[in-house]
Each structure stands twice: as structure tokens, then as C-alpha cells.
Amino acid sequence: MFALQFLTVIQIWGRLRPEKEDLPRSMAFYPAVGILLGVLIAWGHRLSLLVWPPMLADFQAILLMIVFTRALHLDGLGDTMDGLLGSHLPERSLEIMKDSSLGAFGVVSIVSIIVWKFAAFTAVPMPIKFEALCLLPILGRHTMVQLAKITPYARSAGGLGKNFVDDLRWFDYAVAGITAVLACAVIAGRLGVILFGVIWIVTGLESYLFRWRLGGVTGDVLGAASEFNEALVLLLLAGAAYGGAGL
């Protein structure tokens, strides 16, 4: 239940106050939360199509993602890009990321990812838009779990993400992975499994990037990777359709 409260606008009565060990264990349920988010967003899009033209409905689906997640991962994306582009030194990059103010790089990255998602989603064929919206949050949340498991925490002083990264068990990672791949298979069949595999590989490459540039990951980095990989899924679907792959 903490995963649901942490990742979405849905709050539990009285708000849950987890113990330290509950934080990493909650990551086992991240893809399950992604399933719920995906279904809500996909049905929101389908209902929007009954009232508004496709392009407007598509944009409202992107807005629903932001609203349902409280822009949590967009905030992480902005901070991460401020740090990565603000300095070539890992220590200085981490200092910039810790600053609560948002710089020009962060603003541009947030606007760009929203426009990227919207433009790519409009190019996704209508027959698979529902499945695409269901898959995005699942793959995005699995990205965070995978990246947290295979990459060390960057800050020696600690932070909100330290408990998630340092204490994530292989069992919880396995539960998250099995949940994600099964959900992708049920929702989109072979296409869903292929997308899971592609994003799994991309996340591994992102791990190397963040090790090189920052010495590891932070909570902001996990959110940034989630946002990027969601946009990448839409880009792949749009590109495959445009290239005549028969989606």
C-alpha cells in the first residue's frame, strides 16, 4: 500500500508511515501500481475520445499521467538534467541536483519530454493506443526497480533514495520483474514482451551512464530514467507503425 501512496495521488486513510525496511520492499509492487495507473489513464483516454477529437484526447492522456503521479518523476527529471548538464564533475552535479530550485536545463527537459510523449503518442496507431497507455507506467516503474537494483547509490551522505537502492532485495526485484513481464504479455502479447526486453536492455545501459557521470543513482535519477523510458516506448511504437511494421 505504501507503493501506491508514494507513487500516485491516491492516499491511504491516515497516511501510511512505513518503517525503514518497508521502503525497499515496497518496490516489489511498483509494476503493480503501474498496472493500476495504466488502466486508469487508458480508460480516461477512451472516455475522452467520446467527447473530444483524438489529438486533444491524446494530450489529456499525457496530462493524466502527470496528475496521477503528482509530477514526481518529472521533478526528478528536471533535477537530474540540471545536474548532468550543469557540471561535468560528479560531486558538483550531485550538489546541483540537491538544490530545490529548477534551472534552465531542468525546465527545458521537462517541457521537451512532455512534448516528446505527446507527439509520439499522436503517431501511435489508434488500435493500440489503449495498450500503449497501459504499458507505459508498468515499464516506467520497472525501470526504477531495475536501476535501483543494479546501480549503487551515488551520495555517500545518503538521501531519500538510499534506503530504496541499498536495501532492495533480489526477491523484491524478481517479484517486480515477473509482475511486469507477465502484465506486458497479457496486455500486448509478443509486442509487450519485446518492449519489456528492449527497455530492460536500455535500463542496463542507463546504469552504466549514471555510474560514469554520477557514481550511481539517486531518487531523482530513478524518476528521470522512468520518464525517458516511457517516452522511448512511445517513440518505438510510433516508429514501428510509421515504418510499416504492421502494428
Side-chain angles (χ1 to χ4, degrees):
M1 297 300 283
F2 173 70
L4 182 65
Q5 178 172 284
F6 182 70
L7 295 175
T8 73
V9 296
I10 301 172
Q11 299 298 300
I12 312 302
W13 295 281
R15 293 186 61 85
L16 297 175
R17 293 175 173 80
E19 301 294 332
K20 179 180 178 181
E21 62 271 14
D22 294 329
L23 300 180
R25 292 179 183 177
S26 70
M27 298 190 84
F29 303 99
Y30 275 24
V33 173
I35 295 172
L36 176 61
L37 284 171
V39 170
L40 290 174
I41 295 166
W43 274 106
H45 178 258
R46 181 162 290 184
L47 293 174
S48 294
L49 287 170
L50 300 176
V51 182
W52 293 287
M55 184 172 289
L56 183 55
D58 289 352
F59 186 68
Q60 289 175 161
I62 303 301
L63 289 181
L64 277 179
M65 294 184 194
I66 298 172
V67 171
F68 284 160
T69 59
R70 298 177 287 117
L72 177 66
H73 311 312
L74 283 176
D75 179 66
L77 174 68
D79 289 339
T80 299
M81 295 310 295
D82 273 340
L84 289 177
L85 300 178
S87 175
H88 67 280
L89 299 175
E91 297 80 6
R92 178 55 184 156
S93 293
L94 290 170
E95 288 179 11
I96 295 173
M97 290 166 60
K98 201 170 183 179
D99 190 339
S100 59
S101 60
L102 191 61
F105 293 129
V107 172
V108 171
S109 66
I110 291 174
V111 173
S112 296
I113 205 79
I114 293 173
V115 173
W116 182 11
K117 283 185 175 182
F118 170 59
F121 187 52
T122 60
V124 172
M126 184 61 73
I128 63 168
K129 282 185 185 288
F130 188 91
E131 289 79 3
L133 289 174
C134 288
L135 289 175
L136 286 187
I138 298 170
L139 294 171
R141 271 99 215 119
H142 183 264
T143 290
M144 291 191 283
V145 182
Q146 181 185 347
L147 201 56
K149 185 57 191 172
I150 65 176
T151 320
Y153 192 71
R155 292 193 179 100
S156 58
L160 178 60
K162 185 173 177 60
N163 291 335
F164 289 95
V165 175
D166 288 351
D167 300 325
L168 178 60
R169 302 178 301 177
W170 279 107
F171 174 80
D172 297 318
Y173 171 63
V175 170
I178 292 171
T179 301
V181 72
L182 288 179
C184 289
V186 170
I187 292 168
R190 184 179 64 176
L191 175 62
V193 175
I194 291 173
L195 287 173
F196 176 88
V198 170
I199 296 303
W200 187 87
I201 293 172
V202 170
T203 303
L205 296 175
E206 290 169 344
S207 175
Y208 283 107
L209 170 65
F210 294 127
R211 285 171 183 262
W212 168 59
R213 281 292 284 108
L214 300 173
V217 295
T218 67
D220 286 333
V221 170
L222 299 183
S226 172
E227 286 289 338
F228 176 83
N229 285 1
E230 286 180 358
L232 180 60
V233 170
L234 292 176
L235 186 71
L236 292 172
L237 290 174
Y242 183 78
L247 292 180

